[in-house]
Amino acid sequence: MIERLAIIGVGLIGGSLARALRSAGAVGEVIGCGRSLPNLERAVALGVIDHYNQDPAAVVADADLVFVAVPLGAMRGIFASIQGHLRPHAVITDGGSVKGSVVADARAAFGRIPPRLVPGHPIAGTERSGVDASFPELYRNRRVILTPLPETDPEAVQRVDWMWRTCGAQVNRMSVAHHDEVLAATSHLPHMLAFGLVDALARMDETDEIFRYAAGGFRDFTRIASSSPVMWRDICIANREALSAMLGRFSVELTDLAESIRRADAEQLLDIFERAKAARDRYVDGTKQTPAPVTAKGDLTGESETP
Ligand SMILES: NC(=O)c1ccc[n+]([C@@H]2O[C@H](COP(=O)([O-])OP(=O)(O)OC[C@H]3O[C@@H](n4cnc5c(N)ncnc54)[C@H](OP(=O)(O)O)[C@@H]3O)[C@@H](O)[C@H]2O)c1
């Protein structure tokens, strides 16, 4: 049981955590924090939080557990404003999509890694934002990756592990660097392809005509381009090294594909499509209901951040 939970950033991720813990009867009081009053008032009206304060320091003062779910670019500022205001035994965790930047932000703001900070990332989401988009089942049967550091208190890790399992999630642990590489491939790269494709088509002269004939496949592939631009700007910057490396590898793949098409190389095209179909059928479709298997290295074998 969490007596007092502080949620900083009561949007899709923070709001869904509060709702999930409430429906499991695992939390007493929930205090929210954010910048805009309408979102916070809406969160109270929806029963997601009990009350709110726009000052992060005040919100964490009595909290047993603090969950930070703001865009990555706002993490360092939040850490700086709660520094010195936490209860000695309070556990801090976060939902940020990149872990290296969160750890660097924590080190910069606190002067060291707080032993009771447990960096985390729920591999769950939708393309919608704000508290209205939150729902209690978001984390059910989804994975959450925790990236504890050598200095992290194992008891704090257990607490956060328990919290996510209470929401119906399966918890895995990985190093910070490995998390950022895996997510660059499985989540950040696909989002770049969707944003890039829609933007390229939107800037063509015959835009109206093109989108008028966009069918189901286009809709499926590009749904994630409706995700929050601010969130994705921050993810790209925070994970720029791993994401740039993935984009580089993918550019080579796309160039090869384009060359095969230009040469009308039927055999090569069939090879590529058969390999891709087999991989997707095995790793993505085969794991729709249960989380994807984890390899010995701890890799997620296939899952996108926004389902
Ligand atoms: N969406 C996904 O699919 C997904 C999945 C996994 C992880 N994540 C991560 O989860 C985090 C939150 O994402 P989300 O999808 O929940 O976004 P969201 O729905 O836009 O919620 C973010 C919340 O943070 C608040 N916020 C923004 N800047 C703030 C600041 N400086 N101080 C206090 N509150 C602030 C916003 O409220 P105000 O504007 O009123 O301040 C908003 O309620 C991000 O780090 C993201 O990388 C997202």
Side-chain angles (χ1 to χ4, degrees), residues 137-292:
E137 300 82 18
L138 177 63
Y139 304 117
R140 194 169 294 160
N141 294 327
R142 311 298 301 192
R143 284 182 186 280
V144 173
I145 302 174
L146 302 183
T147 61
L149 298 153
E151 50 270 76
T152 313
D153 178 350
E155 200 263 327
V157 181
Q158 282 306 324
R159 190 100 177 104
V160 176
D161 188 300
W162 165 85
M163 177 186 85
W164 284 116
R165 281 188 287 106
T166 303
C167 298
Q170 181 180 321
V171 182
N172 297 116
R173 295 180 198 180
M174 228 182 244
S175 73
V176 168
H178 192 51
H179 167 278
D180 290 355
E181 279 168 19
V182 170
L183 270 291
T186 57
S187 170
H188 307 168
L189 175 65
H191 279 80
M192 294 311 104
L193 303 186
F195 279 125
L197 172 65
V198 177
D199 184 49
L201 297 189
R203 287 189 291 114
M204 285 181 181
D205 289 343
E206 330 74 41
T207 294
D208 284 353
E209 181 76 350
I210 287 171
F211 284 110
R212 186 172 310 132
Y213 295 107
F218 182 83
R219 187 172 282 271
D220 288 350
F221 182 75
T222 59
R223 176 181 57 80
I224 55 179
S226 290
S227 303
S228 160
V230 169
M231 183 176 103
W232 279 98
R233 174 202 63 192
D234 288 2
I235 290 173
C236 286
I237 293 171
N239 205 20
R240 58 188 176 278
E241 270 183 38
L243 180 53
S244 300
M246 273 317 301
L247 282 163
R249 283 173 65 174
F250 186 74
S251 304
V252 173
E253 182 77 28
L254 202 57
T255 306
D256 287 352
L257 183 58
E259 186 54 27
S260 305
I261 293 168
R262 199 193 57 73
R263 287 197 316 265
D265 188 336
E267 207 176 316
Q268 177 73 358
L269 289 171
L270 204 56
D271 271 359
I272 295 170
F273 300 153
E274 279 176 351
R275 265 200 318 270
K277 177 173 163 43
R280 189 176 190 285
D281 290 351
R282 177 169 174 212
Y283 292 122
V284 183
D285 263 358
T287 55
K288 254 182 187 159
Q289 298 308 317
T290 49

Side-chain angles (χ1 to χ4, degrees), residues 8-14 33-37 39 56 68-72 74-75 78 95-98 121-131 228 231 235 305-306:
I8 304 180
V10 192
L12 169 70
I13 295 300
C33 179
R35 296 164 307 175
S36 83
L37 282 178
N39 188 62
V68 188
V70 297
L72 290 164
M75 288 279 180
I78 295 294
S97 306
V98 179
H121 178 201
I123 314 297
T126 73
E127 68 283 12
R128 299 181 59 225
S129 305
V131 73
S228 160
M231 183 176 103
I235 290 173
E305 181 160 283
T306 50

Side-chain angles (χ1 to χ4, degrees), residues 10-93:
V10 192
L12 169 70
I13 295 300
S16 295
L17 177 71
R19 286 186 194 257
L21 290 172
R22 270 203 200 287
S23 49
V27 67
E29 189 182 16
V30 185
I31 317 141
C33 179
R35 296 164 307 175
S36 83
L37 282 178
N39 188 62
L40 292 169
E41 279 161 7
R42 181 80 182 134
V44 173
L46 290 170
V48 175
I49 56 174
D50 296 300
H51 50 98
Y52 60 80
N53 193 313
Q54 287 175 293
D55 176 8
V59 166
V60 303
D62 292 321
D64 309 302
L65 198 143
V66 177
F67 183 59
V68 188
V70 297
L72 290 164
M75 288 279 180
R76 189 173 296 202
I78 295 294
F79 289 151
S81 50
I82 63 176
Q83 197 265 339
H85 298 275
L86 292 152
R87 295 172 74 182
H89 294 293
V91 171
I92 327 166
T93 186

